[in-house]
Amino acid sequence: MFSIDTYIKRRQELKKLVGKGVIILFGNNDSPANYPANAYAPMRQDSSFLYYFGQHRDGLVGVIDIDNDEEIIFGDDIDVEDIVWMGFTPSVADLAAEVGVKKTAPMKELAKVCSPNREIHFLPPYRFDTKIQIMDLLGIHPSQQKEKASLQLIKAVVKMRATKEPQEIEAIERACEIGYMMHTTAQKLIRPGVTERYIGGQVDGIARSLAQGNSFATIFSQHGEIMHGNPSDAKLEAGRLALCDAGCELDDYCSDHTRTMPVTGKFTQRQLEIYSIVEACHDYAIEVAKPGVKYMDVHFAVCRLMTERLKELGLMKGDTDEAVEAGAHAMFLPHGLGHMMGMDVHDMEGLGQIYVGFDEETRPNLEQFGTNCLRMGRKLEEGFVITDEPGIYFIPQLIDEWKASGHCKEFLNFEKLETYKDFGGIRIEDDILITKDGCRFLGKNRIPYHPKDVEEFMAKNNQ
């Protein structure tokens, strides 16, 4: 939690941006895993509620009545039966006072502020219990709540949360330090015969021991071509690559890194050829990302660089610009270069990616494979935190489908692609802060990613 002034100022700014009406920010409740008393733990509070009201307790709703210049936290105090099991919890009034809110009320009184003749602002809900609560309060069916959510509030929240305050940047830096420990732990453990699940579990243990936990489910797999490949019981095999995409959440802020390592600690020539392309794309993005530059332009510049280098290997052919315009590069890179990051690992994605990652000058092409998965294209601004995560993947089913249909055949060498079906995938990802004149890595320590650094680190530490 930050200072009391932080939350007071944030709510004041939100009032100015929204202008009028009543803002309702729903906190989260415990979510049962397999029966009511066995909830997922620890509970994860809604990020926007945290941003403006700072409290982690379940069962709270924050209200900002702009018209009457009044702020209220609704919630019920914990009774002694719950205290017996869960320990003492401060009263709702005490929690409110910690963030500068003077008025509280029991949850049953929330309906009083939801008068049908008032303008009610709420964010798109993503939990079913919240959707039911909104239906009870406002009479809006869950199937209509996303479109009925307040666009004015969405844009105001995105505007505020997109630009990180110095204290937020410090929190992300601390999370990145834990991220460094998570990834170097994986690099120390990788060797033939060790299971994916074991290494994934050790990575998760770092996050749970030194932070609030994972910022997302750890991806650790020899099948790097699967974007979200969960650890399996498969044993690591010599000659293959292992991809680790993991991060932690610390003090409510996230880290998110990806590294790809040779199981034996030494890249083969073919692996090195592909890896060096991803490395070059990663480093190019860091060179050109700065305020005023559209991240969509950076993405497509990276795609052109990747295409040029893949042409040198004989995997692609034809005019580079035409190939990228046709989406041929998406055979290898079916996702965007990066995304916003902060309190959420895909920061504010639940508010609508079109508002978070794009502006009037940049809109994703939702009709083209690959381009439809862009999460970030807008002009960069000082204080943005984004990921830089190019990758090259060889997805057998995608190769087969495009080959059978002849899609982009003028730009792809399907005969050579056949020989890469067992390759897997490579991704390199870092978290970067947009600064006044450019950008910089977040985190004091660099997780090894240059090929020689990876090999030297693994040789030194895999004893």
Side-chain angles (χ1 to χ4, degrees), residues 30 38 90 189 208 273 288-289 342 450 461:
D30 274 334
N38 188 29
L189 294 172
R208 293 174 182 173
E273 289 171 350
V288 299
H450 295 301
N461 293 281

Side-chain angles (χ1 to χ4, degrees), residues 59-111:
L60 301 176
V61 175
V63 169
I64 303 172
D65 187 336
I66 303 171
D67 302 331
N68 296 311
D69 195 23
E70 188 174 55
E71 300 170 351
I72 312 168
I73 291 183
F74 288 84
D76 300 321
D77 288 336
I78 303 300
D79 61 27
V80 70
E81 291 188 17
D82 284 330
I83 289 174
V84 167
W85 294 101
M86 307 302 294
F88 173 73
T89 300
S91 68
V92 176
D94 288 342
L95 294 173
E98 290 178 352
V99 293
V101 176
K102 298 177 181 178
K103 185 174 180 180
T104 63
M107 190 61 73
K108 65 182 180 181
E109 295 185 13
L110 179 58

Side-chain angles (χ1 to χ4, degrees), residues 18 48 90 188 350 463:
V18 176
S48 290
K188 291 175 183 177
Q463 302 298 327

Side-chain angles (χ1 to χ4, degrees), residues 167-179:
Q167 59 193 349
E168 294 182 282
I169 295 168
E170 291 174 6
I172 297 171
E173 295 260 33
R174 292 193 296 272
C176 286
E177 286 305 295
I178 307 300

Side-chain angles (χ1 to χ4, degrees), residues 331 397-410 412 414:
M331 164 64 74
Q397 295 79 9
L398 186 63
I399 294 170
D400 290 343
E401 181 177 309
W402 283 25
K403 182 179 180 180
S405 67
H407 183 62
C408 289
K409 63 181 180 181
E410 62 270 42
L412 297 169
F414 287 108

Side-chain angles (χ1 to χ4, degrees), residues 2-222:
F2 298 130
S3 69
I4 187 172
D5 287 340
T6 293
Y7 302 102
I8 292 172
K9 289 177 180 177
R10 285 175 177 176
R11 293 192 299 270
Q12 288 174 341
E13 179 64 18
L14 187 62
K15 291 178 190 176
K16 293 177 184 177
L17 291 173
V18 176
K20 62 179 181 177
V22 178
I23 298 169
I24 303 180
L25 295 173
F26 293 88
N28 284 336
N29 301 305
D30 274 334
S31 179
N34 54 349
Y35 57 89
N38 188 29
Y40 289 104
M43 188 209 82
R44 177 53 162 87
Q45 185 61 281
D46 176 78
S47 295
S48 290
F49 181 89
L50 273 178
Y51 188 82
Y52 294 102
F53 289 97
Q55 294 293 355
H56 293 81
R57 211 209 85 175
D58 65 315
L60 301 176
V61 175
V63 169
I64 303 172
D65 187 336
I66 303 171
D67 302 331
N68 296 311
D69 195 23
E70 188 174 55
E71 300 170 351
I72 312 168
I73 291 183
F74 288 84
D76 300 321
D77 288 336
I78 303 300
D79 61 27
V80 70
E81 291 188 17
D82 284 330
I83 289 174
V84 167
W85 294 101
M86 307 302 294
F88 173 73
T89 300
S91 68
V92 176
D94 288 342
L95 294 173
E98 290 178 352
V99 293
V101 176
K102 298 177 181 178
K103 185 174 180 180
T104 63
M107 190 61 73
K108 65 182 180 181
E109 295 185 13
L110 179 58
K112 293 180 181 179
V113 304
C114 299
S115 171
N117 60 355
R118 302 204 65 187
E119 186 175 4
I120 307 296
H121 302 276
F122 64 89
L123 297 172
Y126 53 90
R127 289 198 173 193
F128 294 110
D129 51 346
T130 305
K131 293 180 179 182
I132 292 170
Q133 192 173 13
I134 291 174
M135 183 168 63
D136 289 344
L137 290 167
L138 304 175
I140 305 172
H141 191 273
S143 65
Q144 299 176 321
Q145 289 172 10
K146 184 176 180 180
E147 63 185 47
K148 295 288 186 180
S150 169
L151 183 56
Q152 200 166 356
L153 178 58
I154 290 170
K155 289 185 175 181
V157 172
V158 169
K159 179 178 176 62
M160 292 183 66
R161 284 181 56 189
T163 303
K164 303 301 185 284
E165 302 161 356
Q167 59 193 349
E168 294 182 282
I169 295 168
E170 291 174 6
I172 297 171
E173 295 260 33
R174 292 193 296 272
C176 286
E177 286 305 295
I178 307 300
Y180 170 85
M181 297 177 67
M182 294 168 71
H183 281 271
T184 52
T185 294
Q187 291 180 341
K188 291 175 183 177
L189 294 172
I190 290 172
R191 59 176 61 86
V194 181
T195 66
E196 296 175 359
R197 192 179 305 281
Y198 177 79
I199 296 178
Q202 296 300 305
V203 168
D204 289 347
I206 299 293
R208 293 174 182 173
S209 301
L210 301 176
Q212 291 164 258
N214 300 79
S215 51
F216 59 97
T218 292
I219 298 164
F220 186 88
S221 176
Q222 294 173 103

Side-chain angles (χ1 to χ4, degrees), residues 285-302:
I286 293 170
E287 289 178 15
V288 299
K290 62 181 179 181
V293 172
K294 298 174 187 174
Y295 210 48
M296 181 176 282
D297 291 342
V298 181
H299 168 82
F300 284 113
V302 163

